[in-house]
Amino acid sequence: MFKRQENQSGIPFHTQDQDDKYAKAPIGVQSKSRFRFRMRHGVVALGLLALTYLVISPSSDSNGNSALKTLKDRVQIGNRKPSDGAQDSTPVKPSGGNTALWEERKDKVKGAFLHSWNAYRRDAWGKDEYHPIAQFGSNMVKKGQGFTIVDSLDTILLMGLKDEFEEAKAWVRDELTFDQEGEVNLFETTIRVLGGLLSAYDQSGHDQVFLTKAVDLADRLMGAFKTASGIPYASVHLKEGRGVPGHEGGISSTSEVATLQLEFKYLSYLTGDDKYWRVAEDVILKMKELESIDGLVPIFINPYNGQFHGSDIRLGSRGDSYYEYLIKQYLQTSKKEHVYKEMFDHAMTGVKKHLLGRTIPNDLLFVGEISKYSPQDLSPKMDHLVCFLGGTMALSSTEGKTLNKANFPRSKFSKVEEEDFKIGEELTEACYEMYNQTQTGLAPEIVYWVHKKSQLDGRHEPEHFEGSDFIINNRDGHNWLRPETVESLFYMWRFTGDEKYREWGWKIFEAIETYSKVKSGGYSSIHDIRRKDHIEFSDKMETFFLAETLKYLYLLFGSNDVFPLDKYVFNTEAHPFPVFDPPKSLLERPVVKVEPETEGKANGVADDKDLHLDGLPGHDQDDVDEALEELAVDADDTEAEHVPEVEVEYEESSEEVSTDVVEPETVANIVSEEAADV
Ligand code: DMJ
């Protein structure tokens, strides 16, 4: 953990004891980008100008820009060279530069999709997940839930693969059934399967097959919301449509319960049945009433009492898409629901105030993690998952418009929009560097940004290459072909027209081709990207590689006319939904029916205790032992306190609260599941 210090005026800032050794390090093999950085620092005059603009601007205004002064004093934004196409009032370059080249590259992405799809079709047709080395498929419930096929439908349509689409549609129509035994994760099934079906419905010109399946699935998922608080359980038994509490003492993840709304609301809009809208919206409106740290919330929530649980706050695993869906809900319903924009902006003031830091040696901007008990202590840990944020902050600034539209030059930005956009640009660059500064050109799952030279004591290759901005711990070097960085590149490209974003995307694609491609078909996750001479496949091709990673790359290299961002909102699994005008009846908010009447912990659920060890670089056994000991004490304290008394209108009783005491194994599960977060 790295303490913030206070300056003379009492305003805290992140400690940065820049080491000369790094500042002066020669251009080396491991630091491809350092020369470029030094060039950047050469344009200090430009940076200073931008800085001066920020410093003299008021710290608070009627638009709620109160975070500005705090942010400027903590982590300076805007002192790096702005991207060519995004400078104030400067028209962006015409899209595409060399159109033929980008067409060719786009086709290569289509080739990668077909290389995957054909192998899946050959070895695992109809199965949920594909293992390209062993060449077989596996299911999450007995007959499968269409994970790969449904998640891929709109990518297939986007790429114009007609035969593939007809075959996949026939499978959905004839084989896919949700009327089967087995429990599925509410969030994953919603974003991949429900989201995939809804987007396929829209993109196929309203083929009823997809909507019928979507309604059947959603009706089953509704069972998860039948809890004492209205905050859903983590899982659902498909056949019975019954909610199933999560493994962590019944606790749900914040991002999971708050990343259902785009799908459920769109379904209500399509069917005219408001029940999906109501349950999903209720979750967010309840969360809005809970305590936060400047809009930042813990990553767990308790469905028994409706309160946040634990103390970890981050925009990575279990936190990420809570923030993403705030701004996207606002955009999805034609900016009619201002409450979500306010919640997003509030959370971003929290990000600016508590989570931003700068790296050594290249002064990259990063988003760290905090505990709610000590928000002043910034952990420089960042999941690759956080990389959605750059594009999403830029999306919030522009509300989907491109900067070269005559009616929306950057000079028209409010201060918050300007600041969010700059942060978006800088975070996207840091995320690209997570790839650029490794031997393979692939990013690890988690980095610890170097922002204090003492972090490097005892570090050696491949944990940390001299001149690189981050440390990769042994357990964090895996790459699952995640989409978040290319997603942000796509947004930044669309908004700015700056070709560097396309070039960065191309480099990432080339690294995927070099190291993740399986000759016999498909692409695989990799155990450790730190050594290019030591690549081991972990034999899984995640469905989001087809649904998101390849889709965003294809869009990045393709025409800007496809899915204009002021007309479409992508769900968190990259399924595009059209923006719509909700009827008044959906916008009216009836009084919430299910209210928890108790506060604090539910029976048998561990109290606010930081169960996560991952803020500690190294995660050594002592840390684990200490946490297990603390938890054992904590578990003793959780004996039958009270059963929440609630007025429930649903059929199931809240008295079925789990009475399992959290055992140390649960902690171990949480710790290990952390690494397995998708
Ligand atoms: C996807 O399922 C979604 O993007 C989700 O929001 C986060 N995890 C994976 C991709 O990394």
Side-chain angles (χ1 to χ4, degrees):
M1 295 292 214
F2 304 95
K3 300 268 178 221
R4 287 201 177 103
Q5 296 180 343
E6 301 233 320
N7 66 14
Q8 284 176 340
S9 52
I11 298 180
F13 62 96
H14 297 281
T15 308
Q16 274 202 19
D17 47 353
Q18 173 105 25
D19 187 345
D20 278 354
K21 183 175 87 175
Y22 290 101
K24 290 181 194 140
I27 301 167
V29 195
Q30 293 89 14
S31 178
K32 302 174 210 166
S33 56
R34 239 175 302 152
F35 177 68
R36 187 162 45 82
F37 283 120
R38 228 177 284 129
M39 289 298 285
R40 285 218 173 111
H41 294 147
V43 290
V44 157
L46 190 59
L48 280 176
L49 261 180
L51 188 59
T52 312
Y53 162 70
L54 281 173
V55 170
I56 58 172
S57 57
S59 65
S60 168
D61 64 20
S62 55
N63 293 329
N65 296 340
S66 54
L68 276 177
K69 186 161 191 307
T70 325
L71 169 68
K72 285 196 307 275
D73 289 329
R74 285 165 187 267
V75 179
Q76 291 175 343
I77 303 297
N79 56 344
R80 296 167 67 78
K81 186 187 173 203
S83 52
D84 293 343
Q87 294 178 47
D88 213 359
S89 303
T90 310
V92 295
K93 287 182 202 159
S95 82
N98 182 345
T99 316
L101 174 71
W102 291 112
E103 273 300 304
E104 200 183 296
R105 290 179 171 182
K106 191 181 83 169
D107 280 349
K108 292 251 163 68
V109 177
K110 185 170 168 178
F113 181 88
L114 283 170
H115 182 72
S116 310
W117 186 256
N118 290 335
Y120 167 78
R121 187 174 173 275
R122 180 192 65 204
D123 304 329
W125 183 244
K127 295 281 186 285
D128 285 333
E129 298 192 295
Y130 182 44
H131 309 275
I133 307 296
Q135 302 186 354
F136 83 105
S138 58
N139 277 339
M140 303 165 119
V141 282
K142 201 164 178 212
K143 296 182 193 160
Q145 54 168 324
F147 241 47
T148 297
I149 292 182
V150 177
D151 219 7
S152 305
L153 287 168
D154 56 16
T155 310
I156 291 174
L157 282 167
L158 170 70
M159 293 180 174
L161 301 168
K162 290 205 180 82
D163 293 347
E164 284 78 0
F165 176 70
E166 287 306 325
E167 191 176 27
K169 184 177 111 179
W171 184 87
V172 170
R173 188 190 53 223
D174 303 336
E175 307 288 334
L176 179 60
T177 175
F178 302 116
D179 188 22
Q180 56 172 312
E181 299 290 341
E183 293 165 12
V184 297
N185 177 281
L186 171 68
F187 158 79
E188 298 291 358
T189 303
T190 298
I191 64 168
R192 301 190 202 209
V193 187
L194 184 58
L197 288 168
L198 291 174
S199 144
Y201 172 71
D202 181 56
Q203 291 302 306
S204 62
H206 296 183
D207 194 319
Q208 204 58 34
V209 169
F210 301 117
L211 188 58
T212 307
K213 293 282 177 192
V215 169
D216 178 37
L217 174 59
D219 285 345
R220 294 167 194 277
L221 298 180
M222 289 284 283
F225 296 86
K226 294 176 182 175
T227 64
S229 66
I231 303 297
Y233 288 133
S235 301
V236 180
H237 186 283
L238 272 182
K239 193 172 188 68
E240 296 164 16
R242 170 175 49 83
V244 179
H247 297 305
E248 290 108 13
I251 299 295
S252 300
S253 298
T254 299
S255 65
E256 295 197 354
V257 303
T259 310
L260 313 163
Q261 287 66 25
L262 294 183
E263 296 79 1
F264 277 63
K265 288 168 106 175
Y266 184 38
L267 184 59
S268 276
Y269 174 74
L270 289 175
T271 59
D273 185 343
D274 73 347
K275 68 182 179 194
Y276 312 107
W277 184 296
R278 298 283 168 236
V279 290
E281 170 155 88
D282 187 36
V283 174
I284 305 295
L285 297 180
K286 282 188 173 139
M287 289 169 111
K288 179 172 174 284
E289 299 311 314
L290 302 180
E291 199 189 343
S292 74
I293 297 189
D294 296 306
L296 303 176
V297 296
I299 57 169
F300 287 106
I301 189 160
N302 182 334
Y304 304 108
N305 64 13
Q307 302 295 310
F308 285 120
H309 177 86
S311 60
D312 287 357
I313 291 177
R314 61 168 171 253
L315 275 82
S317 63
R318 301 177 192 272
D320 47 6
S321 43
Y322 161 72
Y323 305 94
E324 177 188 351
Y325 268 33
L326 292 177
I327 191 65
K328 287 186 173 176
Q329 280 186 83
Y330 167 69
L331 297 174
Q332 179 187 35
T333 51
S334 306
K335 302 174 215 166
K336 295 272 165 35
E337 302 178 282
H338 222 268
V339 57
Y340 301 118
K341 166 89 174 137
E342 284 158 22
M343 286 176 80
F344 180 82
D345 286 345
H346 186 209
M348 292 309 108
T349 62
V351 168
K352 294 165 196 176
K353 200 165 156 189
H354 302 288
L355 298 184
L356 295 181
R358 287 244 176 241
T359 67
I360 299 170
N362 290 315
D363 209 28
L364 299 172
L365 187 70
F366 72 86
V367 176
E369 303 183 358
I370 53 171
S371 157
K372 78 173 186 189
Y373 296 125
S374 52
Q376 72 284 1
D377 296 328
L378 183 72
S379 160
K381 169 176 174 277
M382 188 169 121
D383 299 345
H384 183 277
L385 289 165
V386 180
C387 290
F388 80 95
L389 188 63
T392 301
M393 287 185 81
L395 175 67
S396 163
S397 297
T398 66
E399 300 191 340
K401 295 193 249 340
T402 50
L403 296 181
N404 60 354
K405 284 259 171 79
N407 64 349
F408 202 63
R410 195 163 170 167
S411 56
K412 293 250 171 75
F413 273 173
S414 72
K415 286 191 186 67
V416 167
E417 287 164 351
E418 178 66 29
E419 189 173 66
D420 283 3
F421 199 87
K422 280 179 178 154
I423 292 172
E425 285 178 311
E426 288 210 45
L427 288 180
T428 303
E429 181 171 358
C431 286
Y432 170 65
E433 289 300 329
M434 284 172 68
Y435 291 77
N436 191 39
Q437 294 186 19
T438 69
Q439 264 194 17
T440 52
L442 291 172
E445 178 73 359
I446 297 170
V447 298
Y448 288 83
W449 296 102
V450 180
H451 77 153
K452 213 176 175 190
K453 70 178 180 194
S454 57
Q455 277 175 277
L456 299 180
D457 292 347
R459 296 286 173 181
H460 51 80
E461 292 184 5
E463 280 177 324
H464 179 259
F465 290 120
E466 187 178 326
S468 144
D469 289 88
F470 50 81
I471 292 159
I472 307 172
N473 287 333
N474 287 334
R475 58 176 248 172
D476 301 332
H478 49 288
N479 177 291
W480 288 1
L481 301 162
R482 285 198 189 275
E484 291 77 17
T485 296
V486 294
E487 171 184 350
S488 281
L489 294 178
F490 160 67
Y491 281 104
M492 298 313 304
W493 155 253
R494 280 286 178 96
F495 296 140
T496 65
D498 187 337
E499 277 211 17
K500 82 177 176 202
Y501 295 115
R502 280 181 145 183
E503 291 296 348
W504 290 354
W506 177 246
K507 284 186 89 175
I508 291 172
F509 179 70
E510 282 188 314
I512 291 173
E513 285 291 292
T514 307
Y515 296 106
S516 311
K517 188 169 186 167
V518 179
K519 256 198 172 156
S520 53
Y523 291 74
S524 175
S525 303
I526 287 174
H527 275 307
D528 192 343
I529 52 77
R530 293 177 300 171
R531 284 242 121 102
K532 62 179 179 189
D533 54 358
H534 200 78
I535 294 296
E536 255 179 63
F537 289 134
S538 36
D539 200 9
K540 183 141 168 216
M541 185 172 82
E542 294 284 348
T543 73
F544 51 69
F545 177 63
L546 304 178
E548 299 195 69
T549 311
L550 292 180
K551 184 187 284 141
Y552 283 128
L553 284 165
Y554 190 83
L555 289 169
L556 175 65
F557 302 151
S559 158
N560 289 353
D561 298 335
V562 182
F563 300 132
L565 293 171
D566 54 351
K567 300 217 165 40
Y568 285 87
V569 172
F570 286 84
N571 89 337
T572 195
E573 188 76 4
H575 296 305
F577 299 157
V579 166
F580 61 85
D581 241 325
K584 235 176 143 198
S585 59
L586 286 176
L587 292 177
E588 280 160 7
R589 301 207 167 93
V591 179
V592 170
K593 291 178 190 156
V594 183
E595 282 289 357
E597 290 183 349
T598 54
E599 290 200 346
K601 60 195 168 189
N603 228 359
V605 175
D607 197 2
D608 280 356
K609 180 61 65 183
D610 190 349
L611 301 179
H612 297 273
L613 310 172
D614 44 17
L616 307 165
H619 316 278
D620 63 23
Q621 194 51 44
D622 288 345
D623 300 331
V624 176
D625 293 343
E626 202 179 303
L628 291 178
E629 258 173 52
E630 278 181 28
L631 196 80
V633 173
D634 199 49
D636 289 337
D637 289 341
T638 60
E639 293 299 324
E641 294 232 328
H642 51 238
V643 175
E645 284 174 27
V646 288
E647 254 181 52
V648 189
E649 290 211 1
Y650 297 117
E651 310 91 69
E652 286 191 30
S653 161
S654 62
E655 280 161 23
E656 289 179 12
V657 169
S658 159
T659 49
D660 293 341
V661 170
V662 177
E663 298 290 351
E665 298 92 74
T666 313
V667 183
N669 287 344
I670 292 174
V671 171
S672 62
E673 277 178 24
E674 197 69 43
D677 277 338
V678 291

